[in-house]
Amino acid sequence: VSPSADDAVRAAAEVLGPRGVFDLPLGSRTTYRVGGSARLGFELSEPDDDLLAAEAVAAARHLPVITVGRGSNLIVPDAGFPGLALLVGTAGPWGRIEIDGEGLVRAGAGTLLPVLARRTAAAGRSGLEWAVGVPGSVGGAVRMNAGGHGSDISGSICEATVTDLSTGVRAVRPAFELELGYRRSALTSTDLVVAAAFATGSGAPAASAAAIEEIVRWRRENQPGGQNAGSVFVNPEGDSAGRLVDAAGCRGLRLGTAEVSPKHANFIQADPGGRADEVIALIREVRRRVLDHSGVDLHPEVKLAGASWDDLG
Ligand SMILES: Cc1cc2nc3c(=O)[nH]c(=O)nc-3n(C[C@H](O)[C@H](O)[C@H](O)COP(=O)(O)OP(=O)(O)OC[C@H]3O[C@@H](n4cnc5c(N)ncnc54)[C@H](O)[C@@H]3O)c2cc1C
């Protein structure tokens, strides 16, 4: 950590007070369960903690900041994250779900998607059943436009409440402003999703419950368990990333403690106690081999804390 980065972290810590934690383990909070610590961590649990976080960012010039939900689409390098990590959990409003008479479902950013799917289904609202298969939070899912089983966030989101950490302004942004596309949105690392609202239809709880159980069964049969972040690469137009990885001979490829899943070629597994840098190196190696083999440059869906894949070259 350079002296100026450390000054920035100290300035932010002063704003956060005792709730700002130095050297907070971060990798262990991801589904890869490997990787280092955040120089400073802050758990958002109270109603205006997003605004407090923005104040901390404003107090510290050039402080790298990252928001972490469930960590199910994130790799933290072994060297850690040099700035402020904002951790969105399920405490207080962050994990609250409210359903109004018209079927509008409001959920705090920390709400787990499987909980959202089951809760809305049980309340007789349909349309979010697919979310039971995605082990992330609402905030991470909005940022990623997560989806599966023929649906995604863009299919039902009406609006998101977003705090711009660089200005401290919290605003309700209508869905079109989020520019949701295939596993992408217009949100950047300084946009913190606080909550989102979804339109649902009226449904029969038993039918929704059956759909949910079918998705859970399908996932269990078709996806590996263990330490991973789901699909590593987004599917290129008209093709499947898993098929290309397989065709390049990478299924089962191992680099130290990281392995391309023998069960699903677009999943990379970390061994217990493994190294994040080996997961990162394996992703880059698979990308290189697929480019050599088929001429297709696969783009990682998984986010890298503190860097972009293109920075790595
Ligand atoms: C077994 C498995 C299966 C999966 N299957 C699918 C699937 O079928 N479809 C799919 O789309 N994804 C899938 N994923 C990936 C992942 O679950 C989704 O991308 C999920 O939406 C990420 O949410 P998260 O809270 O874990 O985000 P994180 O991993 O914590 O973060 C991901 C990105 O979102 C940002 N972010 C997180 N929270 C916020 C917030 N509140 N405000 C602003 N930005 C935020 C982070 O900074 C980061 O850039 C799977 C993952 C696993 C482990």
Side-chain angles (χ1 to χ4, degrees):
V1 181
S2 70
S4 65
D6 221 39
D7 286 351
V9 164
R10 274 173 214 296
E14 216 157 287
V15 172
L16 297 173
R19 293 177 62 203
V21 179
F22 282 100
D23 299 320
L24 185 90
L26 198 57
S28 55
R29 303 182 70 123
T30 67
T31 52
Y32 264 121
R33 297 203 288 275
V34 292
S37 302
R39 185 68 186 104
L40 185 64
F42 176 57
E43 303 243 9
L44 293 90
S45 58
E46 304 288 332
D48 288 332
D49 276 350
D50 51 320
L51 302 179
L52 181 58
E55 248 179 77
V57 170
R61 282 164 56 84
H62 309 302
L63 175 72
V65 59
I66 188 170
T67 303
V68 179
R70 208 22 213 98
S72 64
N73 203 39
L74 189 66
I75 303 179
V76 180
D78 291 314
F81 180 73
L84 171 64
L86 303 173
L87 308 171
V88 180
T90 57
W94 298 93
R96 191 170 297 148
I97 300 174
E98 289 165 345
I99 307 176
D100 75 9
E102 250 88 86
L104 190 72
V105 177
R106 293 180 194 283
T111 307
L112 298 177
L113 291 186
V115 173
L116 183 70
R118 290 183 190 278
R119 199 77 76 71
T120 51
R125 305 308 310 178
S126 68
L128 291 170
E129 293 86 349
W130 64 270
V132 77
V134 182
S137 68
V138 162
V142 172
R143 167 92 188 261
M144 299 301 305
N145 188 24
H149 309 277
S151 287
D152 62 17
I153 289 288
S154 76
S156 53
I157 190 170
C158 303
E159 62 190 33
T161 304
V162 180
T163 296
D164 181 340
L165 295 167
S166 63
T167 60
V169 174
R170 184 200 285 161
V172 174
R173 295 173 62 173
F176 76 88
E177 268 187 27
L178 304 172
E179 297 175 31
L180 301 170
Y182 171 51
R183 300 296 172 266
R184 67 162 303 280
S185 69
L187 299 172
T188 69
S189 60
T190 50
D191 292 318
L192 192 159
V193 176
V194 175
F198 303 94
T200 58
S202 82
S208 292
I212 282 177
E213 289 331 304
E214 174 56 20
I215 290 169
V216 170
R217 187 195 57 76
W218 185 91
R219 293 262 170 177
R220 211 174 286 136
E221 279 173 15
N222 292 283
Q223 289 186 346
Q227 301 175 204
N228 63 68
S231 295
V232 169
F233 299 104
V234 290
N235 291 321
E237 183 99 38
D239 209 336
S240 130
R243 191 197 70 76
L244 291 163
V245 173
D246 218 0
C250 295
R251 187 186 284 260
L253 181 67
R254 179 170 272 277
L255 200 160
T257 58
E259 184 185 42
V260 178
S261 169
K263 185 166 176 179
H264 189 313
N266 199 19
F267 274 47
I268 285 182
Q269 304 280 128
D271 290 347
R275 293 178 50 77
D277 292 354
E278 289 172 343
V279 175
I280 294 166
L282 183 56
I283 290 173
R284 299 179 70 200
E285 177 61 18
V286 169
R287 191 177 180 184
R288 195 186 61 73
R289 289 193 189 192
V290 170
L291 184 60
D292 272 359
H293 181 264
S294 62
V296 177
D297 188 15
L298 290 177
H299 291 280
E301 173 180 326
V302 178
K303 303 277 186 190
L304 197 52
S308 84
W309 291 99
D310 293 333
D311 293 342
L312 300 181

